[in-house]
Structure formats: structure tokens, C-alpha cells
């Protein structure tokens, strides 16, 4: 999440379409071998199609993505299209590969993945393509894979730069900054980190602490690792978190250690997950998009592509805004959340 996790940012066009049904996914959200592909015809007389999403891991962000997939399923079923969504309990490359192998065997028409590791997924995506399955990425990319296009909600590097500049402004341009990410192999997250690095280079008074911290998409680990970082270096003045578990995890550590108001935290996260921390002052601000809208849009774009209609630059989608198409990347607008506007959103 997305995202890891894009090119256009800070546009206020996203309408929250997701109502979060719980604190996280159930383990292995669905069984990849069920339902089986329907090879009949749709109510409109066309051949049925099956589109399958495979996310990094179960969790709050994933649950919101799933609502977007289910919205697409409801809207497209009259055309004979089934949209499925799966997420392993933990961020494991082998589990994602297993899901895709099963979808190849089930003869899915399209597989859309948010890879934990951009390289680890390349061979199985080639296998899918060779078997006649069209493959795509969303939220996180695998740029060297056989994917047809990548759907994101911001330019991956640019959003990192935006986070860095907001954090640096909050710090008055000076102080020690730590960076937290999710998985080491997630392409979108690595590009977010690259953007943070680029953004902070503009501020000579800021020192970036290394090595970076990786929470493996685990919020409890994010809390513990942030606390350990503060204990190792009590002078940390700012934290940049580039995956959805990072800001709330860092915020909880800030709160528990009594550093509220003394440490500035910016990053990528769901507004629902950071609302309390934003109001309490443990987190200054987060940037994101509506993950449900991102997933819904992806399903629509993929279904169109299966029908021979490629994504069109500048095309506007209700409740989402205008998309931007630059090469293989399709980007929808994102937004910034602070204590002043976070209560307006329910995802």
C-alpha cells in the first residue's frame, strides 16, 4: 500500500467509498482455488471472465482494498465478470507465488498483484502470461515483469519527496530523521524511500539515520522497532514512515515514550488508522489515497483492457478524478490527512 502503495499527487478528487468492516483481514482472505472459474456466458451474452487480486498480506489496508474489489465485482457481474480478492496472512513471497500458480491452473483471465518482492514474482508472472493469463500490478509494481500496466495512486518517488518536505518543514529544517519502510523487496516502498532521501537532501541541517528500519508490514513490529530506535538514539527529531503500518506504529511508540510534540512524524497511512494519533499530536500528517477506490479503478481498467480498451490519459472517473497515463504507469489522485481534515474520511 499502496501503493506499497504513481505520478500525480495532492489532488483532492478521491471520495471515500469504503466502510471499514473490521480491524483487519481474516488470515488468507479467501481460498485461491474457490470459486472456480465460470466458463459459461454472461447475462449480456458474452463469455464470462475472472479477474483476481493478490495483495501483499492481510491487514487493515488490505481490508479496505478488498471493499473496492467487491464493489467492482458487484458492478461487473451483470457482464459476466467475477472479481476475487486474496491476501496471505503474512507478507510471504512463496504464498503469493502459490496463489498465482493456482489461478493459472484455474484459468483466470487476469491476475493483478501487489508484490512483496518485485523480483521474486517475475518468473511466475511470465508463466501466467505464457499460459494466456494477462497480468497487472497495482499498489506496488514489478517493473521487470510481464505485467501489462501498473496502477498507482501517486508517483512512487514523488510521494516520498512530499513526505520529506512536509517533515522537514515541521522540523524547521534541522534534526535527526529516521526512515521506516515495510518489506525490503517491495518496489513501491523502495521508491518511496528514494523520494524521502531526495527530499531531505534539500535540507543540510537534517541528518538521516542509517540503517533504515523495516517492519515487514507488521504494525506491532513497527511499534517495537520505533521504540528501539528512540532508545538507541534519543535525539531522533523526526520519523518518515513509507508503508501503512509505519505511521500508526511510530505514533504509538511516540505516545508510549512521552515524546508527543517533541518528535514529528509524517508518512503513508490510512486516515482511520492514524486518526487518534493525529488528534493527540503523536503524528503530524499522513499522505495516502482511498485504497478501495484504487482497487476498484484497477478492476475497471483491467476489465476494459481485457476487452481491448487501454487506459486513456486524462479520462475522468466519478468519485476518483482524472487518471494520468505515463508509459506503463496509470495514476489516480492522492491526498494529505492532518488533524484538521481526518474526521471527514471513513477509510
Amino acid at each position: 500500500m499502496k501503493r506499497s502503495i504513481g505520478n500525480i499527487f495532492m489532488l483532492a478528487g478521491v471520495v471515500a467509498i469504503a466502510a471499514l468492516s473490521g480491524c483487519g483481514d481474516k488470515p488468507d482472505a479467501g481460498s485461491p482455488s474457490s470459486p472456480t472459474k465460470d466458463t459459461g456466458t454472461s447475462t449480456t451474452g458474452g463469455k464470462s471472465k475472472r479477474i483476481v487480486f493478490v495483495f501483499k498480506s492481510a491487514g487493515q489496508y488490505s481490508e479496505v482494498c478488498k471493499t473496492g474489489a467487491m464493489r467492482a465485482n458487484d458492478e461487473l457481474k451483470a457482464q459476466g465478470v467475477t472479481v476475487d480478492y486474496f491476501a496471505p496472512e503474512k507478507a510471504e513471497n512463496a504464498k503469493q507465488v502459490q496463489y498465482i500458480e493456482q489461478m493459472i491452473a484455474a484459468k483466470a483471465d487476469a491476475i493483478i498483484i501487489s508484490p512483496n518482492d518485485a523480483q521474486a514474482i517475475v518468473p511466475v508472472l511470465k508463466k501466467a502470461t505464457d499460459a494466456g493469463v494477462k497480468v497487472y500490478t497495482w499498489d506496488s509494481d514489478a517493473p521487470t515483469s510481464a505485467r501489462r500496466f501498473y496502477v498507482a495512486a501517486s508517483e512512487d518517488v514523488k510521494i516520498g519527496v512530499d513526505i520529506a518536505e512536509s517533515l522537514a518543514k515541521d522540523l524547521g529544517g534541522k534534526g535527526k530523521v529516521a526512515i521506516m519502510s515495510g518489506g525490503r523487496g517491495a518496489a513501491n516502498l523502495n521508491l518511496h524511500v528514494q523520494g524521502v532521501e531526495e527530499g531531505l537532501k534539500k535540507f543540510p541541517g537534517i541528518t538521516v539515520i542509517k540503517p533504515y528500519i523495516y517492519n515487514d508490514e507488521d504494525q506491532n513490529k513497527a511499534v517495537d522497532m520505533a521504540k528501539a530506535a528512540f532508545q538507541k538514539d534519543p535525539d531522533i527529531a523526526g520519523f518518515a514512515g513509507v508503508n501503512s503500518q509505519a505511521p500508526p506504529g511510530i505514533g504509538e511508540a511516540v505516545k508510549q515514550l512521552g515524546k508527543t510534540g517533541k518528535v514529528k512524524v509524517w508518512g503513508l497511512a490510512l486516515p482511520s488508522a492514524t486518526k487518534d494519533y493525529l488528534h493527540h499530536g503523536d503524528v503530524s500528517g499522513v499522505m495516502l489515497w482511498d485504497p478501495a477506490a484504487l482497487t476498484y479503478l484497477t478492476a475497471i481498467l483491467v476489465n476494459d483492457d481485457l476487452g481491448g480498451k487501454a487506459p486513456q490519459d486524462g479520462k475522468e472517473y466519478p468519485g476518483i478524478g482524472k487518471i494520468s497515463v505515463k508509459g506503463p504507469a496509470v495514476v489516480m489522485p492522492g491526498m494529505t490527512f492532518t488533524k484538521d481534515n481526518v474526521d471527514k474520511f471513513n477509510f
Side-chain angles (χ1 to χ4, degrees):
M1 111 277 265
K2 186 172 247 293
R3 31 101 351 131
S4 201
I5 184 106
N7 302 313
I8 303 297
F9 194 67
M10 299 299 104
L11 299 179
V14 180
V15 174
I17 61 173
L20 196 58
S21 60
C23 293
D25 280 315
K26 294 180 180 179
D28 290 10
S31 169
S33 59
S34 176
T36 55
K37 182 183 175 184
D38 177 7
T39 57
T41 57
S42 73
T43 57
T44 58
K47 185 178 179 295
S48 64
K49 291 180 287 188
R50 187 180 184 190
I51 297 171
V52 181
F53 284 92
V54 180
F55 193 62
K56 295 186 182 75
S57 63
Q60 194 172 19
Y61 181 93
S62 176
E63 184 68 19
V64 181
C65 288
K66 184 178 179 180
T67 64
M70 294 305 96
R71 176 191 173 193
N73 180 68
D74 290 342
E75 290 189 13
L76 295 175
K77 62 184 178 182
Q79 302 176 33
V81 180
T82 298
V83 180
D84 292 326
Y85 185 97
F86 306 112
E89 182 179 3
K90 295 181 180 180
E92 297 175 346
N93 299 333
K95 194 69 173 181
Q96 287 194 310
V97 171
Q98 178 186 343
Y99 281 5
I100 293 172
E101 292 273 10
Q102 292 176 336
M103 288 302 97
I104 295 171
K107 301 185 184 302
D109 295 278
I111 296 173
I112 310 164
I113 185 167
S114 175
N116 283 304
D117 189 306
Q119 292 305 313
I121 212 71
V122 169
V124 74
L125 292 187
K126 183 180 185 303
K127 181 177 180 180
T129 300
D130 290 345
V133 181
K134 292 185 178 180
V135 297
Y136 307 80
T137 54
W138 109 109
D139 179 74
S140 181
D141 195 16
T144 63
S145 73
R147 59 98 168 96
R148 292 174 64 80
F149 56 76
Y150 164 49
V151 186
S154 69
E155 181 189 353
D156 288 327
V157 174
K158 178 62 164 57
I159 196 170
V161 172
D162 291 335
I163 290 169
E165 292 180 346
S166 294
L167 176 59
K169 181 179 179 180
D170 229 3
L171 291 171
K174 58 184 179 180
K176 293 183 177 181
V177 169
I179 299 174
M180 180 183 289
S181 185
R184 289 172 174 79
N188 64 326
L189 302 185
N190 290 336
L191 291 172
H192 297 338
V193 171
Q194 179 184 328
V196 172
E197 292 173 332
E198 291 181 8
L200 293 179
K201 285 179 181 178
K202 303 174 185 178
F203 302 90
I206 288 180
T207 300
V208 177
I209 299 172
K210 293 187 178 181
Y212 300 148
I213 303 167
Y214 296 90
N215 59 42
D216 297 319
E217 307 295 334
D218 185 325
Q219 189 164 316
N220 291 328
K221 186 179 287 188
V223 176
D224 293 340
M225 297 182 85
K227 290 169 71 174
F230 284 124
Q231 290 166 359
K232 182 178 180 181
D233 191 340
D235 294 329
I236 292 175
F239 238 114
V242 302
N243 72 316
S244 61
Q245 291 82 4
I250 299 166
E252 180 62 27
V254 167
K255 184 177 180 180
Q256 290 184 20
L257 296 176
K259 291 181 173 290
T260 303
K262 302 174 185 177
V263 175
K264 305 300 182 182
V265 179
W266 278 84
L268 292 170
L270 289 165
S272 60
T274 50
K275 181 182 297 186
D276 291 344
Y277 299 114
L278 288 168
H279 283 307
H280 191 256
D282 313 304
V283 175
S284 300
V286 293
M287 300 175 183
L288 200 69
W289 44 87
D290 182 344
L294 177 64
T295 308
Y296 165 79
L297 173 66
T298 301
I300 299 302
L301 292 173
V302 166
N303 184 57
D304 286 346
D305 191 60
L306 292 176
K309 299 177 182 178
Q312 298 178 15
D313 184 49
K315 184 173 181 178
E316 187 164 1
Y317 291 82
I320 293 174
K322 293 181 179 180
I323 64 171
S324 173
V325 179
K326 295 186 177 180
V330 181
V331 189
M332 69 169 245
M335 52 180 42
T336 299
F337 307 97
T338 67
K339 64 180 181 180
D340 297 324
N341 70 348
V342 68
D343 290 332
K344 299 177 182 178
F345 304 93
N346 65 347
F347 62 92

